[in-house]
Amino acid sequence: MAPTGRPSALAEHAFSPHDAVLRAAARRLGRRRFLTVTAAAAALAFATNRPARGAVAAPERTARISKDPFTLGVASGDPLPDSVLLWTRLAPEPFLEDGGMGTERVTVEWEVALDEYFAGVLFRGTADAHAEYNHSVHVDVKGLTPGTVYYYRFRAGAWLSPAGRTRTAPAAGSATSSLKLAAVACQAYMDGYYTVLRHVAQDDVDVVFHLGDYLYEYAVNSEGGERRYTDVTLPDVFNRETMTLADYRLRYSLYKTDEDLRAAHARHPFVVAWDDHETENNYAGSIPENDIPPSEFLLRRAAAYRAYWENQPLRAAQLPQGPDARLYRRLHWGTLAQFDILDTRQYRSDQAYDDRPHAPGAESDDPARTITGAEQEQWLLDGWKGSTALWNVMPQQVCFSQRKFDVTADAALSMDAWDGYRASRARVVAGAKAAGVDNWLILTGDVHVGYALDVKEDFDDPASATVGTEVTCTSVASGRDGVDKPANWDLYMQANPHMKFYNGRRGYVRAELGRQATHLDFRTVSAISTPGAAVTTAASFVTEAGDPGLKPA
Protein backbone atom coordinates (compact mmCIF):
# COMPACT_ATOMS: atom_id res chain seq x y z
CA MET A 1 0.00 0.00 0.00
CA ALA A 2 1.30 3.47 -0.84
CA PRO A 3 1.94 5.83 2.04
CA THR A 4 -0.93 8.04 3.15
CA GLY A 5 -0.70 11.78 3.00
CA ARG A 6 -2.17 15.13 2.03
CA PRO A 7 -1.75 16.26 -1.60
CA SER A 8 0.34 19.35 -2.07
CA ALA A 9 -1.40 22.72 -2.27
CA LEU A 10 -2.49 24.13 -5.61
CA ALA A 11 0.41 25.44 -7.62
CA GLU A 12 1.13 29.17 -7.69
CA HIS A 13 0.33 30.84 -10.98
CA ALA A 14 1.93 33.77 -12.73
CA PHE A 15 -0.10 36.93 -13.11
CA SER A 16 -2.71 37.01 -15.86
CA PRO A 17 -2.19 39.43 -18.75
CA HIS A 18 -5.70 40.68 -17.98
CA ASP A 19 -5.06 41.41 -14.28
CA ALA A 20 -4.84 45.19 -14.57
CA VAL A 21 -7.99 45.41 -16.68
CA LEU A 22 -9.80 43.09 -14.30
CA ARG A 23 -8.86 45.08 -11.20
CA ALA A 24 -10.00 48.30 -12.82
CA ALA A 25 -13.31 46.79 -13.88
CA ALA A 26 -13.89 45.31 -10.43
CA ARG A 27 -13.33 48.70 -8.81
CA ARG A 28 -15.70 50.37 -11.26
CA LEU A 29 -18.50 47.82 -10.97
CA GLY A 30 -18.15 47.03 -7.29
CA ARG A 31 -20.64 44.84 -5.50
CA ARG A 32 -23.57 46.68 -7.04
CA ARG A 33 -23.52 44.87 -10.39
CA PHE A 34 -21.24 41.86 -10.20
CA LEU A 35 -20.73 40.59 -6.70
CA THR A 36 -22.94 38.82 -4.25
CA VAL A 37 -22.06 38.71 -0.58
CA THR A 38 -20.52 35.24 -0.52
CA ALA A 39 -18.94 35.60 -3.97
CA ALA A 40 -17.22 38.90 -3.17
CA ALA A 41 -13.99 37.54 -1.69
CA ALA A 42 -13.51 35.01 -4.46
CA ALA A 43 -14.27 37.53 -7.21
CA LEU A 44 -11.83 40.06 -5.82
CA ALA A 45 -9.23 37.28 -5.67
CA PHE A 46 -9.50 37.00 -9.47
CA ALA A 47 -7.26 40.04 -9.69
CA THR A 48 -4.45 38.42 -7.69
CA ASN A 49 -4.92 34.74 -8.57
CA ARG A 50 -4.61 33.84 -4.89
CA PRO A 51 -7.15 32.27 -2.56
CA ALA A 52 -9.16 34.75 -0.58
CA ARG A 53 -7.63 35.40 2.83
CA GLY A 54 -10.76 34.27 4.61
CA ALA A 55 -10.72 30.89 2.88
CA VAL A 56 -7.14 30.16 3.87
CA ALA A 57 -7.69 31.22 7.45
CA ALA A 58 -11.09 29.56 7.83
CA PRO A 59 -11.48 27.12 10.72
CA GLU A 60 -11.36 23.45 9.85
CA ARG A 61 -14.40 21.25 10.23
CA THR A 62 -14.40 17.46 10.01
CA ALA A 63 -17.82 16.68 11.41
CA ARG A 64 -21.22 18.32 12.08
CA ILE A 65 -22.32 17.89 8.47
CA SER A 66 -25.93 17.01 9.13
CA LYS A 67 -26.94 16.06 5.55
CA ASP A 68 -25.30 14.09 2.75
CA PRO A 69 -22.73 16.48 1.21
CA PHE A 70 -22.14 14.32 -1.89
CA THR A 71 -25.31 15.36 -3.76
CA LEU A 72 -23.28 16.30 -6.87
CA GLY A 73 -21.56 12.94 -7.16
CA VAL A 74 -17.95 12.11 -7.96
CA ALA A 75 -15.83 12.26 -11.10
CA SER A 76 -12.38 11.49 -12.46
CA GLY A 77 -10.48 12.85 -15.41
CA ASP A 78 -7.39 13.29 -17.58
CA PRO A 79 -5.94 9.79 -17.04
CA LEU A 80 -2.16 9.47 -17.22
CA PRO A 81 -0.19 6.22 -17.00
CA ASP A 82 0.49 6.74 -13.28
CA SER A 83 -2.14 9.28 -12.25
CA VAL A 84 -5.82 10.21 -12.40
CA LEU A 85 -7.50 13.35 -11.13
CA LEU A 86 -10.36 12.66 -8.68
CA TRP A 87 -13.12 15.22 -8.03
CA THR A 88 -16.06 15.87 -5.77
CA ARG A 89 -17.78 18.93 -4.32
CA LEU A 90 -19.48 19.16 -0.94
CA ALA A 91 -23.03 20.53 -1.22
CA PRO A 92 -25.58 19.19 1.28
CA GLU A 93 -27.90 21.99 0.06
CA PRO A 94 -26.97 22.22 -3.62
CA PHE A 95 -29.48 24.96 -4.44
CA LEU A 96 -28.05 27.35 -1.85
CA GLU A 97 -25.31 29.76 -2.87
CA ASP A 98 -22.77 28.20 -0.50
CA GLY A 99 -24.05 24.66 -0.99
CA GLY A 100 -25.03 24.61 2.68
CA MET A 101 -21.38 24.50 3.72
CA GLY A 102 -20.79 28.06 4.96
CA THR A 103 -17.24 29.38 5.03
CA GLU A 104 -15.51 26.64 7.00
CA ARG A 105 -12.67 24.56 5.63
CA VAL A 106 -13.43 20.83 5.63
CA THR A 107 -11.01 17.92 5.61
CA VAL A 108 -12.11 15.25 3.15
CA GLU A 109 -10.69 11.73 3.11
CA TRP A 110 -10.22 9.79 -0.12
CA GLU A 111 -9.51 6.15 -0.93
CA VAL A 112 -8.49 4.23 -4.06
CA ALA A 113 -8.86 0.44 -4.44
CA LEU A 114 -8.80 -2.24 -7.11
CA ASP A 115 -12.27 -3.53 -6.22
CA GLU A 116 -15.61 -1.79 -5.94
CA TYR A 117 -16.07 -3.06 -2.37
CA PHE A 118 -12.78 -1.46 -1.18
CA ALA A 119 -11.72 -4.72 0.46
CA GLY A 120 -8.10 -3.71 -0.03
CA VAL A 121 -7.45 0.02 -0.15
CA LEU A 122 -4.24 0.77 -2.05
CA PHE A 123 -4.07 4.54 -1.64
CA ARG A 124 -5.64 6.92 0.83
CA GLY A 125 -5.16 10.48 1.95
CA THR A 126 -6.87 13.76 2.82
CA ALA A 127 -7.59 16.98 0.97
CA ASP A 128 -9.04 20.31 2.07
CA ALA A 129 -12.35 21.55 0.71
CA HIS A 130 -12.11 25.37 0.80
CA ALA A 131 -15.02 27.77 0.62
CA GLU A 132 -12.78 29.73 -1.79
CA TYR A 133 -13.27 26.94 -4.33
CA ASN A 134 -16.91 26.29 -3.41
CA HIS A 135 -15.83 23.27 -1.33
CA SER A 136 -14.65 21.41 -4.41
CA VAL A 137 -11.94 18.76 -4.04
CA HIS A 138 -9.34 17.96 -6.70
CA VAL A 139 -7.01 15.07 -5.81
CA ASP A 140 -4.22 14.17 -8.22
CA VAL A 141 -3.50 10.57 -7.17
CA LYS A 142 -0.02 9.52 -8.23
CA GLY A 143 1.86 6.23 -8.21
CA LEU A 144 -0.86 4.24 -9.95
CA THR A 145 -0.23 1.29 -12.27
CA PRO A 146 -0.61 1.96 -16.02
CA GLY A 147 -3.60 0.49 -17.85
CA THR A 148 -5.49 -0.39 -14.68
CA VAL A 149 -9.09 0.04 -13.51
CA TYR A 150 -9.49 1.59 -10.07
CA TYR A 151 -12.35 2.47 -7.74
CA TYR A 152 -12.41 5.56 -5.54
CA ARG A 153 -14.56 7.29 -2.96
CA PHE A 154 -14.55 10.20 -0.50
CA ARG A 155 -15.57 10.65 3.13
CA ALA A 156 -16.56 13.89 4.89
CA GLY A 157 -17.44 13.56 8.55
CA ALA A 158 -19.76 10.57 8.85
CA TRP A 159 -20.78 10.71 5.18
CA LEU A 160 -19.44 8.40 2.46
CA SER A 161 -19.64 9.31 -1.21
CA PRO A 162 -20.82 6.99 -3.98
CA ALA A 163 -17.98 4.93 -5.43
CA GLY A 164 -16.49 5.98 -8.74
CA ARG A 165 -14.72 3.87 -11.32
CA THR A 166 -11.76 5.14 -13.32
CA ARG A 167 -8.68 3.90 -15.15
CA THR A 168 -5.14 4.93 -15.97
CA ALA A 169 -3.71 5.29 -19.45
CA PRO A 170 -1.35 2.60 -20.75
CA ALA A 171 2.35 2.97 -20.12
CA ALA A 172 4.12 5.53 -22.28
CA GLY A 173 5.49 3.87 -25.41
CA SER A 174 3.45 0.70 -24.98
CA ALA A 175 1.96 -0.83 -28.13
CA THR A 176 -1.64 -0.76 -26.94
CA SER A 177 -3.96 -2.57 -29.33
CA SER A 178 -7.26 -0.73 -28.76
CA LEU A 179 -9.05 2.19 -27.13
CA LYS A 180 -12.79 2.72 -26.83
CA LEU A 181 -14.04 6.26 -26.29
CA ALA A 182 -17.30 8.17 -26.24
CA ALA A 183 -17.63 11.75 -27.45
CA VAL A 184 -20.44 13.95 -26.10
CA ALA A 185 -21.35 17.65 -26.13
CA CYS A 186 -24.10 20.22 -25.66
CA GLN A 187 -26.32 19.34 -22.71
CA ALA A 188 -28.87 22.13 -22.31
CA TYR A 189 -30.69 21.07 -19.14
CA MET A 190 -33.90 22.83 -20.15
CA ASP A 191 -34.09 21.02 -23.50
CA GLY A 192 -34.70 17.55 -22.10
CA TYR A 193 -33.46 14.60 -20.11
CA TYR A 194 -29.92 13.23 -20.11
CA THR A 195 -30.92 9.81 -21.41
CA VAL A 196 -27.87 9.85 -23.68
CA LEU A 197 -25.56 10.05 -20.67
CA ARG A 198 -27.29 7.08 -19.04
CA HIS A 199 -26.38 5.03 -22.11
CA VAL A 200 -22.83 6.39 -22.04
CA ALA A 201 -22.59 5.27 -18.41
CA GLN A 202 -23.65 1.76 -19.44
CA ASP A 203 -21.35 1.58 -22.46
CA ASP A 204 -18.04 -0.26 -22.32
CA VAL A 205 -15.70 2.65 -23.04
CA ASP A 206 -12.34 3.58 -21.57
CA VAL A 207 -12.78 7.35 -21.49
CA VAL A 208 -15.36 10.03 -22.32
CA PHE A 209 -14.51 13.25 -24.14
CA HIS A 210 -16.86 16.14 -23.37
CA LEU A 211 -16.39 18.64 -26.20
CA GLY A 212 -18.14 21.67 -24.76
CA ASP A 213 -21.39 23.31 -23.74
CA TYR A 214 -21.47 21.29 -20.53
CA LEU A 215 -23.44 24.21 -19.12
CA TYR A 216 -25.83 26.73 -20.68
CA GLU A 217 -26.12 30.26 -19.39
CA TYR A 218 -29.81 30.60 -20.27
CA ALA A 219 -32.61 30.67 -17.71
CA VAL A 220 -34.23 27.45 -16.50
CA ASN A 221 -37.81 27.87 -15.30
CA SER A 222 -39.46 26.16 -12.34
CA GLU A 223 -40.60 23.20 -14.49
CA GLY A 224 -37.10 22.53 -15.85
CA GLY A 225 -38.06 23.74 -19.32
CA GLU A 226 -38.85 20.84 -21.66
CA ARG A 227 -38.46 18.38 -18.81
CA ARG A 228 -41.87 19.65 -17.64
CA TYR A 229 -41.48 18.56 -14.03
CA THR A 230 -44.70 17.87 -12.15
CA ASP A 231 -43.16 16.58 -8.93
CA VAL A 232 -40.34 19.14 -8.62
CA THR A 233 -40.38 22.93 -8.54
CA LEU A 234 -37.01 24.49 -9.22
CA PRO A 235 -36.19 27.67 -7.30
CA ASP A 236 -36.30 31.08 -8.99
CA VAL A 237 -32.53 31.41 -8.70
CA PHE A 238 -32.22 29.40 -11.93
CA ASN A 239 -34.76 31.44 -13.86
CA ARG A 240 -32.23 34.03 -15.05
CA GLU A 241 -29.11 34.15 -17.18
CA THR A 242 -25.85 33.34 -15.40
CA MET A 243 -23.78 36.46 -14.83
CA THR A 244 -22.06 36.21 -11.45
CA LEU A 245 -19.81 33.63 -9.82
CA ALA A 246 -22.73 32.59 -7.63
CA ASP A 247 -24.95 32.16 -10.71
CA TYR A 248 -22.46 29.88 -12.47
CA ARG A 249 -21.80 27.82 -9.35
CA LEU A 250 -25.51 27.30 -8.77
CA ARG A 251 -26.09 26.34 -12.40
CA TYR A 252 -23.47 23.60 -12.12
CA SER A 253 -25.26 22.42 -9.01
CA LEU A 254 -28.50 22.13 -10.97
CA TYR A 255 -26.87 20.23 -13.82
CA LYS A 256 -24.97 17.88 -11.54
CA THR A 257 -28.07 16.92 -9.58
CA ASP A 258 -29.10 15.01 -12.72
CA GLU A 259 -28.66 11.32 -11.93
CA ASP A 260 -27.68 10.34 -15.49
CA LEU A 261 -24.88 12.90 -15.61
CA ARG A 262 -23.64 11.71 -12.22
CA ALA A 263 -23.77 8.10 -13.40
CA ALA A 264 -21.63 8.81 -16.48
CA HIS A 265 -19.03 10.65 -14.40
CA ALA A 266 -18.94 7.89 -11.78
CA ARG A 267 -18.43 5.17 -14.38
CA HIS A 268 -15.78 6.63 -16.70
CA PRO A 269 -12.94 9.17 -16.58
CA PHE A 270 -13.79 12.35 -18.50
CA VAL A 271 -11.60 14.65 -20.57
CA VAL A 272 -13.37 18.01 -20.73
CA ALA A 273 -13.06 21.17 -22.79
CA TRP A 274 -15.34 24.19 -22.89
CA ASP A 275 -17.01 25.96 -25.76
CA ASP A 276 -19.06 29.16 -25.50
CA HIS A 277 -22.12 28.47 -23.36
CA GLU A 278 -20.12 27.72 -20.24
CA THR A 279 -19.60 31.50 -20.33
CA GLU A 280 -21.78 33.21 -22.95
CA ASN A 281 -23.11 32.32 -26.41
CA ASN A 282 -20.60 32.89 -29.23
CA TYR A 283 -18.16 35.05 -27.31
CA ALA A 284 -14.78 35.46 -28.99
CA GLY A 285 -11.78 35.85 -26.71
CA SER A 286 -12.47 38.95 -24.63
CA ILE A 287 -15.27 40.14 -26.93
CA PRO A 288 -18.79 39.37 -25.67
CA GLU A 289 -21.88 38.58 -27.70
CA ASN A 290 -23.66 41.63 -26.31
CA ASP A 291 -22.56 45.25 -26.52
CA ILE A 292 -20.74 45.73 -23.24
CA PRO A 293 -17.12 46.79 -22.65
CA PRO A 294 -14.61 43.91 -22.79
CA SER A 295 -13.39 44.88 -19.31
CA GLU A 296 -16.83 44.11 -17.90
CA PHE A 297 -17.06 40.90 -19.88
CA LEU A 298 -13.72 39.74 -18.47
CA LEU A 299 -15.27 39.79 -15.01
CA ARG A 300 -18.00 37.49 -16.23
CA ARG A 301 -15.46 35.27 -17.99
CA ALA A 302 -13.42 35.07 -14.79
CA ALA A 303 -16.50 33.94 -12.88
CA ALA A 304 -17.42 31.37 -15.54
CA TYR A 305 -13.90 29.96 -15.79
CA ARG A 306 -13.53 29.71 -12.00
CA ALA A 307 -16.85 27.86 -11.66
CA TYR A 308 -15.93 25.55 -14.55
CA TRP A 309 -12.68 24.48 -12.88
CA GLU A 310 -14.39 24.04 -9.54
CA ASN A 311 -16.91 21.65 -11.05
CA GLN A 312 -14.74 19.57 -13.40
CA PRO A 313 -12.08 16.87 -12.88
CA LEU A 314 -9.19 19.13 -13.86
CA ARG A 315 -5.69 19.45 -12.45
CA ALA A 316 -4.15 22.53 -10.83
CA ALA A 317 -2.50 23.38 -14.15
CA GLN A 318 -5.96 24.30 -15.46
CA LEU A 319 -6.86 26.52 -12.48
CA PRO A 320 -7.84 29.91 -13.98
CA GLN A 321 -5.64 32.94 -13.54
CA GLY A 322 -8.38 35.54 -13.33
CA PRO A 323 -10.18 35.42 -16.70
CA ASP A 324 -7.49 33.21 -18.29
CA ALA A 325 -6.97 29.45 -18.13
CA ARG A 326 -4.70 27.05 -20.00
CA LEU A 327 -7.26 24.44 -21.01
CA TYR A 328 -5.55 23.08 -24.14
CA ARG A 329 -3.41 20.08 -23.24
CA ARG A 330 -2.09 16.78 -24.55
CA LEU A 331 -2.76 13.20 -23.45
CA HIS A 332 -1.51 9.84 -24.76
CA TRP A 333 -2.80 6.29 -24.92
CA GLY A 334 0.44 4.35 -25.34
CA THR A 335 1.59 4.58 -28.95
CA LEU A 336 -1.95 4.06 -30.21
CA ALA A 337 -3.23 7.62 -29.84
CA GLN A 338 -2.17 11.16 -29.07
CA PHE A 339 -4.94 13.54 -28.00
CA ASP A 340 -4.48 17.25 -28.62
CA ILE A 341 -7.38 18.86 -26.76
CA LEU A 342 -8.02 22.34 -28.17
CA ASP A 343 -9.63 25.52 -26.86
CA THR A 344 -11.21 27.27 -29.85
CA ARG A 345 -12.99 29.94 -27.82
CA GLN A 346 -10.59 31.77 -25.49
CA TYR A 347 -8.01 33.00 -28.02
CA ARG A 348 -9.98 33.52 -31.21
CA SER A 349 -10.37 36.66 -33.27
CA ASP A 350 -13.83 38.20 -33.30
CA GLN A 351 -16.23 36.56 -35.74
CA ALA A 352 -16.28 38.13 -39.18
CA TYR A 353 -19.32 39.83 -40.69
CA ASP A 354 -20.99 40.40 -37.31
CA ASP A 355 -21.17 36.62 -36.82
CA ARG A 356 -23.84 36.20 -39.50
CA PRO A 357 -23.74 33.34 -42.05
CA HIS A 358 -21.74 34.77 -44.91
CA ALA A 359 -19.87 33.72 -48.05
CA PRO A 360 -16.07 33.77 -47.74
CA GLY A 361 -14.68 37.24 -48.21
CA ALA A 362 -11.81 39.55 -47.42
CA GLU A 363 -12.86 39.94 -43.79
CA SER A 364 -13.21 36.24 -42.97
CA ASP A 365 -10.15 35.24 -45.02
CA ASP A 366 -7.77 37.76 -43.48
CA PRO A 367 -4.57 35.73 -42.78
CA ALA A 368 -4.17 37.50 -39.45
CA ARG A 369 -7.36 35.96 -38.12
CA THR A 370 -7.08 32.97 -35.81
CA ILE A 371 -9.42 30.59 -34.01
CA THR A 372 -6.75 29.08 -31.77
CA GLY A 373 -4.36 31.95 -31.14
CA ALA A 374 -0.76 31.80 -32.36
CA GLU A 375 0.67 30.10 -29.28
CA GLN A 376 -1.86 27.25 -29.25
CA GLU A 377 -1.53 26.79 -33.02
CA GLN A 378 2.24 26.41 -32.73
CA TRP A 379 1.81 24.05 -29.77
CA LEU A 380 -0.47 21.87 -31.92
CA LEU A 381 1.88 21.78 -34.90
CA ASP A 382 4.93 21.11 -32.74
CA GLY A 383 3.06 18.30 -31.00
CA TRP A 384 2.35 16.65 -34.33
CA LYS A 385 5.99 16.90 -35.35
CA GLY A 386 6.99 15.03 -32.21
CA SER A 387 4.15 12.51 -32.25
CA THR A 388 4.91 8.80 -32.35
CA ALA A 389 1.25 7.80 -32.12
CA LEU A 390 -0.59 5.84 -34.78
CA TRP A 391 -3.72 8.00 -34.43
CA ASN A 392 -3.54 11.75 -33.86
CA VAL A 393 -6.89 12.72 -32.37
CA MET A 394 -7.96 16.36 -32.09
CA PRO A 395 -10.88 16.84 -29.68
CA GLN A 396 -12.24 20.36 -30.19
CA GLN A 397 -15.42 22.37 -30.30
CA VAL A 398 -16.70 23.82 -33.59
CA CYS A 399 -17.03 22.27 -37.05
CA PHE A 400 -13.60 22.03 -38.70
CA SER A 401 -14.69 20.92 -42.17
CA GLN A 402 -16.31 23.23 -44.68
CA ARG A 403 -20.10 23.32 -44.36
CA LYS A 404 -21.91 25.17 -47.12
CA PHE A 405 -25.49 26.16 -46.39
CA ASP A 406 -26.52 26.15 -50.07
CA VAL A 407 -25.47 24.74 -53.44
CA THR A 408 -24.80 28.17 -54.98
CA ALA A 409 -21.28 29.35 -55.75
CA ASP A 410 -21.49 32.09 -53.10
CA ALA A 411 -23.08 29.88 -50.44
CA ALA A 412 -22.94 31.18 -46.89
CA LEU A 413 -20.79 29.53 -44.23
CA SER A 414 -20.79 29.72 -40.44
CA MET A 415 -18.59 32.56 -39.22
CA ASP A 416 -18.39 30.98 -35.75
CA ALA A 417 -16.88 27.70 -37.01
CA TRP A 418 -13.52 27.11 -38.72
CA ASP A 419 -15.23 28.26 -41.96
CA GLY A 420 -15.01 31.79 -40.54
CA TYR A 421 -11.27 31.33 -39.97
CA ARG A 422 -10.17 29.71 -43.22
CA ALA A 423 -6.57 30.93 -43.04
CA SER A 424 -6.31 29.43 -39.58
CA ARG A 425 -7.70 26.13 -40.88
CA ALA A 426 -5.33 26.17 -43.87
CA ARG A 427 -2.34 26.55 -41.55
CA VAL A 428 -3.48 23.59 -39.45
CA VAL A 429 -4.10 21.37 -42.51
CA ALA A 430 -0.69 22.32 -43.92
CA GLY A 431 0.89 21.61 -40.54
CA ALA A 432 -0.68 18.16 -40.36
CA LYS A 433 0.59 17.38 -43.84
CA ALA A 434 4.10 18.71 -43.10
CA ALA A 435 4.27 16.66 -39.89
CA GLY A 436 3.32 13.49 -41.74
CA VAL A 437 0.10 12.98 -39.79
CA ASP A 438 -1.44 10.06 -41.68
CA ASN A 439 -4.27 9.15 -39.32
CA TRP A 440 -5.95 12.36 -38.22
CA LEU A 441 -9.27 12.07 -36.38
CA ILE A 442 -11.15 15.22 -35.34
CA LEU A 443 -13.83 15.00 -32.62
CA THR A 444 -16.27 17.92 -32.69
CA GLY A 445 -19.26 19.17 -30.68
CA ASP A 446 -21.34 22.37 -30.97
CA VAL A 447 -23.72 21.75 -33.89
CA HIS A 448 -26.39 19.52 -32.22
CA VAL A 449 -26.34 17.07 -35.13
CA GLY A 450 -24.23 14.13 -36.14
CA TYR A 451 -21.94 14.55 -39.15
CA ALA A 452 -19.34 12.20 -40.66
CA LEU A 453 -16.96 14.20 -42.84
CA ASP A 454 -13.87 13.60 -44.93
CA VAL A 455 -11.37 16.36 -44.22
CA LYS A 456 -10.15 17.56 -47.61
CA GLU A 457 -6.94 19.32 -48.54
CA ASP A 458 -9.13 21.64 -50.63
CA PHE A 459 -12.81 21.53 -49.69
CA ASP A 460 -13.80 23.28 -52.91
CA ASP A 461 -12.26 20.45 -54.96
CA PRO A 462 -13.95 17.11 -54.16
CA ALA A 463 -11.14 15.32 -56.02
CA SER A 464 -8.45 16.75 -53.74
CA ALA A 465 -6.71 14.53 -51.21
CA THR A 466 -8.52 13.42 -48.08
CA VAL A 467 -6.24 14.23 -45.14
CA GLY A 468 -8.36 13.20 -42.19
CA THR A 469 -11.73 12.33 -40.70
CA GLU A 470 -14.11 14.48 -38.65
CA VAL A 471 -17.11 13.34 -36.66
CA THR A 472 -19.51 15.63 -34.83
CA CYS A 473 -21.14 13.91 -31.89
CA THR A 474 -24.57 15.62 -32.02
CA SER A 475 -25.84 16.67 -28.57
CA VAL A 476 -26.86 15.16 -25.26
CA ALA A 477 -29.94 17.37 -24.97
CA SER A 478 -29.57 20.65 -26.89
CA GLY A 479 -32.04 20.88 -29.74
CA ARG A 480 -34.72 18.81 -27.98
CA ASP A 481 -35.77 15.49 -29.52
CA GLY A 482 -34.59 16.17 -33.07
CA VAL A 483 -35.30 14.10 -36.18
CA ASP A 484 -33.31 11.60 -38.22
CA LYS A 485 -33.45 13.75 -41.37
CA PRO A 486 -33.62 17.52 -40.72
CA ALA A 487 -35.42 19.66 -43.30
CA ASN A 488 -32.13 20.72 -44.89
CA TRP A 489 -30.75 17.17 -45.16
CA ASP A 490 -30.87 16.92 -48.97
CA LEU A 491 -29.47 20.43 -49.41
CA TYR A 492 -26.52 19.90 -47.07
CA MET A 493 -25.62 16.49 -48.50
CA GLN A 494 -25.65 17.93 -52.02
CA ALA A 495 -23.75 21.10 -51.12
CA ASN A 496 -21.04 19.23 -49.19
CA PRO A 497 -19.90 16.09 -51.06
CA HIS A 498 -17.35 15.35 -48.31
CA MET A 499 -20.26 14.93 -45.86
CA LYS A 500 -20.97 11.20 -45.64
CA PHE A 501 -23.60 11.24 -42.89
CA TYR A 502 -26.04 13.72 -41.34
CA ASN A 503 -28.47 12.94 -38.52
CA GLY A 504 -30.46 15.26 -36.25
CA ARG A 505 -31.23 13.03 -33.26
CA ARG A 506 -29.69 13.35 -29.78
CA GLY A 507 -26.86 10.95 -29.02
CA TYR A 508 -23.11 10.42 -28.92
CA VAL A 509 -20.25 9.01 -30.97
CA ARG A 510 -18.57 5.80 -29.92
CA ALA A 511 -15.12 5.22 -31.42
CA GLU A 512 -12.92 2.16 -31.16
CA LEU A 513 -9.35 2.86 -32.22
CA GLY A 514 -7.27 -0.12 -33.31
CA ARG A 515 -4.00 -0.80 -35.04
CA GLN A 516 -5.68 -1.44 -38.40
CA ALA A 517 -8.65 0.94 -38.32
CA THR A 518 -10.96 3.10 -36.24
CA HIS A 519 -14.60 2.03 -36.04
CA LEU A 520 -17.14 4.83 -35.51
CA ASP A 521 -20.73 4.40 -34.32
CA PHE A 522 -23.32 7.16 -34.21
CA ARG A 523 -25.51 6.22 -31.24
CA THR A 524 -28.88 7.99 -31.00
CA VAL A 525 -32.07 7.98 -28.94
CA SER A 526 -35.57 8.56 -30.25
CA ALA A 527 -36.53 11.16 -27.63
CA ILE A 528 -35.30 13.08 -24.60
CA SER A 529 -38.58 14.87 -23.85
CA THR A 530 -39.37 11.88 -21.66
CA PRO A 531 -36.75 9.76 -19.91
CA GLY A 532 -35.82 6.17 -20.70
CA ALA A 533 -35.59 5.97 -24.49
CA ALA A 534 -33.55 3.09 -25.91
CA VAL A 535 -30.34 3.72 -27.81
CA THR A 536 -29.72 2.53 -31.37
CA THR A 537 -26.85 2.75 -33.84
CA ALA A 538 -27.89 5.15 -36.59
CA ALA A 539 -24.78 4.52 -38.73
CA SER A 540 -21.31 3.02 -38.54
CA PHE A 541 -18.14 3.90 -40.43
CA VAL A 542 -14.55 2.77 -40.62
CA THR A 543 -11.46 4.83 -41.35
CA GLU A 544 -8.46 2.65 -42.05
CA ALA A 545 -4.95 3.34 -40.80
CA GLY A 546 -2.91 4.81 -43.65
CA ASP A 547 -5.99 5.40 -45.82
CA PRO A 548 -7.80 8.57 -44.65
CA GLY A 549 -11.50 8.81 -45.34
CA LEU A 550 -14.75 7.20 -44.26
CA LYS A 551 -16.15 3.89 -45.44
CA PRO A 552 -19.52 2.44 -44.33
CA ALA A 553 -18.95 -0.33 -41.80
Side-chain angles (χ1 to χ4, degrees), residues 307-381:
Y308 183 86
W309 183 85
E310 289 172 345
N311 286 278
Q312 298 291 2
L314 290 166
R315 288 184 168 84
Q318 280 68 57
L319 177 66
Q321 307 170 50
D324 305 289
R326 170 71 180 264
L327 198 64
Y328 65 88
R329 58 207 191 277
R330 183 170 290 124
L331 299 172
H332 298 88
W333 206 262
T335 60
L336 182 65
Q338 174 174 296
F339 295 96
D340 298 292
I341 301 106
L342 300 191
D343 175 356
T344 60
R345 191 58 59 178
Q346 184 177 180
Y347 312 104
R348 64 162 63 195
S349 308
D350 195 12
Q351 291 93 343
Y353 301 111
D354 295 322
D355 199 14
R356 300 187 307 270
H358 201 282
E363 185 176 343
S364 60
D365 285 351
D366 182 347
R369 288 174 49 74
T370 176
I371 195 171
T372 61
E375 183 178 332
Q376 182 180 194
E377 180 182 295
Q378 192 61 53
W379 167 87
L380 175 64
L381 302 187

Side-chain angles (χ1 to χ4, degrees), residues 175-255:
T176 306
S177 60
S178 68
L179 162 66
K180 291 175 283 188
L181 66 85
V184 298
C186 304
Q187 52 191 45
Y189 183 95
M190 60 284 188
D191 276 8
Y193 289 91
Y194 291 166
T195 307
V196 169
L197 293 177
R198 174 61 60 175
H199 291 297
V200 169
Q202 295 169 349
D203 207 340
D204 179 25
V205 297
D206 300 309
V207 63
V208 176
F209 285 82
H210 200 294
L211 304 173
D213 294 344
Y214 188 102
L215 182 83
Y216 277 70
E217 76 275 28
Y218 303 136
V220 181
N221 66 20
S222 61
E223 297 179 344
E226 293 302 310
R227 296 186 178 214
R228 303 187 187 280
Y229 292 141
T230 58
D231 57 342
V232 174
T233 301
L234 297 179
D236 289 340
V237 69
F238 301 120
N239 199 15
R240 61 175 182 249
E241 186 170 343
T242 53
M243 299 294 293
T244 69
L245 179 60
D247 288 339
Y248 285 106
R249 284 171 165 174
L250 281 165
R251 198 59 55 88
Y252 281 106
S253 294
L254 174 63
Y255 277 51

Side-chain angles (χ1 to χ4, degrees), residues 149 180 188 229 249 266 355 365 373 398 457 480 495 502 512-514:
V149 172
K180 291 175 283 188
Y229 292 141
R249 284 171 165 174
D355 199 14
D365 285 351
V398 294
E457 189 169 21
R480 305 180 183 177
Y502 175 19
E512 184 168 0
L513 283 64

Side-chain angles (χ1 to χ4, degrees), residues 9-25:
L10 293 172
E12 285 289 331
H13 291 273
F15 287 109
S16 158
H18 290 122
D19 275 346
V21 175
L22 194 64
R23 282 194 294 270

